[in-house]
Amino acid sequence: MDELVLLAREQMEKSVESLKGSLATVRTGRASAALLDGVMVDYYGEPTPLNQIASVTIPEARQLVIKPYDRNDIKNIIAAINASNLGLTPINDGALVRLNVPALTEERRRELVKVSKKYCEEGKVAVRNVRRDYMDELKKDKSLPEDTRKSLEGEIQKVTDEFCKKIDEVYAAKEKDIMTI
């Protein structure tokens, strides 16, 4: 039955990785290609992720450069960035698009910390849902002796606490990153 605990750990690990991916899209003070991960560009009538139709580079700490594989896509890329509510103004240089990432104000930093906190709470909920699913599975299995079931429930709870602590650590690191000027 230890495989139940291992499966729970594996699913909780996936929840934490998903959380890290979500937090990567939250702006800090520096430019990051992950900021554009959610931007979908109209590419011949199909919504397509920006990183599939253009290369994104970071020449400076506060600037992103988007070089489309096809120059005709620049207008669609600019429209998609404007529609994404990133708070970044695209600059058309003819063959590429520049995005200057402005310095964050104290107020905006606090808002981003709140967004990060929300993502972390969602991550904890996901971890707790995994715990609930496996606890329910243990309760349904009538072939297990009660002491074994209690032991496994304790193991699953320990794993849950471990991953909730990991999420808190991830949040603390992201908060520090956002609040650093």
Side-chain angles (χ1 to χ4, degrees):
M1 284 317 257
D2 287 337
E3 68 264 5
L4 264 174
V5 176
L6 291 174
L7 289 171
R9 176 180 288 279
E10 199 174 288
Q11 284 188 336
M12 289 178 190
E13 188 70 49
K14 288 178 184 174
S15 296
V16 171
E17 290 305 313
S18 174
L19 166 69
K20 288 178 182 177
S22 297
L23 286 177
T25 64
V26 176
R27 247 178 76 191
T28 56
R30 296 180 301 277
S32 167
L35 289 174
L36 302 173
D37 281 353
V39 177
M40 299 298 271
V41 179
D42 181 36
Y43 186 66
Y44 295 108
E46 286 293 317
T48 308
L50 175 65
N51 60 6
Q52 290 184 7
I53 64 168
S55 65
V56 180
T57 57
I58 307 168
E60 299 173 25
R62 294 191 185 268
Q63 188 178 67
L64 291 168
V65 173
I66 304 163
K67 187 171 186 339
Y69 302 131
D70 181 2
R71 290 178 66 173
N72 298 327
D73 295 330
I74 288 182
K75 288 181 183 174
N76 291 341
I77 290 172
I78 290 173
I81 291 170
N82 287 331
S84 68
N85 294 326
L86 288 174
L88 301 174
T89 307
I91 301 164
N92 185 347
D93 279 0
L96 44 90
V97 177
R98 291 186 190 278
L99 291 173
N100 291 319
V101 180
L104 297 171
T105 63
E106 185 70 22
E107 183 180 329
R108 183 69 178 137
R109 288 177 193 276
R110 295 203 187 284
E111 287 174 25
L112 292 172
V113 166
K114 287 179 186 175
V115 169
S116 299
K117 181 73 170 173
K118 185 184 86 157
Y119 283 146
C120 289
E121 286 304 318
E122 290 170 1
K124 284 184 178 181
V125 167
V127 166
R128 290 182 191 124
N129 285 341
V130 171
R131 175 191 63 193
R132 184 197 63 223
D133 293 344
Y134 282 95
M135 292 291 202
D136 289 348
E137 200 172 308
L138 282 173
K139 288 177 184 165
K140 286 179 188 173
D141 190 355
K142 299 296 183 190
S143 67
L144 279 177
E146 189 173 336
D147 58 338
T148 305
R149 190 177 73 240
K150 292 282 185 195
S151 171
L152 288 171
E153 285 176 357
E155 289 287 320
I156 290 173
Q157 184 59 47
K158 281 181 192 174
V159 171
T160 303
D161 294 342
E162 175 189 330
F163 279 94
C164 284
K165 186 177 179 199
K166 272 187 187 179
I167 289 173
D168 288 336
E169 291 168 0
V170 168
Y171 169 70
K174 185 66 175 185
E175 180 183 28
K176 182 180 176 200
D177 198 21
I178 291 171
M179 296 307 285
T180 301
I181 298 175

